[in-house]
Amino acid sequence: MTAFIEAASPHTMNTYARLPMAVDHGQGCRVVDVNGKSYLDGLGGIAVNTLGHNHPKLVPALQEQIGKIIHSSNYYHVPNAEVLAKKLTELSGLTNVFFCCTGLEANEAALKLARKFGHDKGIERPEIVVYEKAFHGRSIATLSATGNPKIQKGFEPLVEGFIRVPLNDIEALKKATEGNPNVVAVFFETIQGEGGINPMRVEYLQQLRKLCDERDWLMMIDEVQCGMGRTGKWFAHQWAGIVPDVMPLAKGLGSGVPIGAVVAGPKAANVLQPGNHGTTFGGNQLAMRAGNETIRIMEEEGLLENAATVGAHLKAALQRELGSLPGVKEIRGQGLMLGIELNKPCGALTGRAAEAGLLISVTADSVIRLVPSLILTVAEADEIVAKLTPLVKAILAE
Ligand SMILES: Cc1ncc(COP(=O)(O)O)c(C=O)c1O
């Protein structure tokens, strides 16, 4: 990695296996490191930078907001929070929103809500159905809901009250919950992100909705990574024509400004009452402006359509170049949330791709993940494929 500076961070905790590089600035779907080397950004800050970098409409709006007020606290109303909440309810078909700052915080609130929903019904030890390979965050409760022993190891005892089931298997779910009166909710990602870009099937989602209605369970869909337009609809579950009861959001909602949200429907919207939950930073003026501007610009620029069409182009091109290689197990995902599963661990590709001027990530050991900004063009999609193809061929040949 001769092109990189020896970037290091001796005084921050050693929690990330970082590449030896540091990004200095960005424009659109490109970033430039502190040495002036340019990269095509196929990662979008891990599905965060919806509008790319330095968007000409977002930046002046945020600058204006910072000059007015950044934060005032939840002792007072924040008019822009109401504007954003209303918009999110219109887009989702739900009714009320709680704002926070991150994905895990949104999920934590959803888990608390589900437990309280149970307690309000007289269930003293509520249980929540969760999934194999799921990722919901790294707080004690959300890592307990996560289906990855590597993330849980060292943090036991885990939070109890989770029932784990495999993806896309309604019979397995029925069996695991048979005769159990304590189940209050089912909690899942429409397309698992960290778990390796694993989609829930449309029929399964519809069966699940029916089951949740029959049994009075909350359907809680973690759209933190797959939501906010990434798959070509506002929320990935909308492809199945279903409406959840609770939907945590974060990542792309603020296009880089930290923000989280729990959007709830009638069954769940009034469960949390004053004193039950809260957060200092949640819903502050800067984050709310970022959320409102992100959605407004997405609508103005047709970014849902762009995610769908450029995503389909990218997937087809990946399929054409890589799909028939013996070591490529599957290319899956939807819109601009794509995964290429190899038949061997390929974590080394993150660094090799950066060296070749492309930012990507590898998740679940052997899945190359592409979650770029929703402004990606067809030409940039082709460039991703051109840069990635020789790297994949090389690692498969080793
Ligand atoms: C589906 C999902 N839920 C929750 C989280 C946690 O979000 P955060 O890192 O903002 O806490 C992530 C992060 O990758 C995620 O992909």
Side-chain angles (χ1 to χ4, degrees), residues 140-154:
I140 295 288
T142 58
L143 76 80
S144 300
T146 288
N148 181 346
K150 278 193 203 158
I151 286 169
Q152 297 170 334
K153 194 169 173 344

Side-chain angles (χ1 to χ4, degrees), residues 71-259:
H71 175 94
S72 65
S73 97
N74 282 315
Y75 277 121
Y76 320 108
H77 288 275
V78 177
N80 261 341
E82 195 50 35
V83 174
L84 181 56
K86 182 164 181 288
K87 187 72 190 177
L88 288 172
T89 62
E90 287 165 4
L91 299 178
S92 63
L94 300 174
T95 61
N96 293 82
V97 184
F98 171 80
F99 288 111
C100 52
C101 307
T102 66
L104 86 76
E105 236 192 305
N107 286 337
E108 188 84 25
L111 295 172
K112 280 183 68 178
L113 191 156
R115 282 193 169 188
K116 177 108 185 339
F117 173 78
H119 280 275
D120 289 350
K121 290 202 292 182
I123 297 173
E124 284 184 11
R125 301 189 72 80
E127 294 180 48
I128 299 169
V129 174
V130 292
Y131 286 77
E132 291 172 1
K133 302 185 201 167
F135 182 83
H136 297 297
R138 292 171 180 275
S139 67
I140 295 288
T142 58
L143 76 80
S144 300
T146 288
N148 181 346
K150 278 193 203 158
I151 286 169
Q152 297 170 334
K153 194 169 173 344
F155 303 104
E156 301 87 350
L158 301 180
V159 171
E160 59 184 73
F162 293 110
I163 301 169
R164 197 165 305 281
V165 299
L167 281 76
N168 291 316
D169 186 344
I170 201 76
E171 292 310 317
L173 169 61
K174 285 182 181 167
K175 194 154 172 258
T177 55
E178 204 174 338
N180 183 342
N182 294 329
V183 178
V184 292
V186 178
F187 183 43
F188 59 93
E189 303 151 79
T190 314
I191 303 176
Q192 292 183 335
E194 305 302 303
I197 316 294
N198 307 309
M200 293 286 192
R201 283 201 305 273
V202 165
E203 322 79 72
Y204 180 78
L205 291 170
Q206 292 165 347
Q207 290 168 327
L208 201 51
R209 179 67 269 182
K210 198 161 158 278
L211 200 65
C212 287
D213 289 339
E214 284 167 11
R215 304 199 178 175
D216 195 29
W217 297 342
L218 294 176
M219 179 184 244
M220 308 209 300
I221 309 190
D222 178 349
E223 291 257 351
V224 165
Q225 187 161 159
C226 59
M228 289 316 298
R230 180 153 293 283
T231 64
K233 288 204 188 276
W234 283 104
F235 309 110
H237 66 262
Q238 291 175 330
W239 289 102
I242 56 161
V243 180
D245 300 303
V246 178
M247 175 174 66
L249 298 172
K251 286 195 182 273
L253 177 54
S255 211
V257 175
I259 180 171

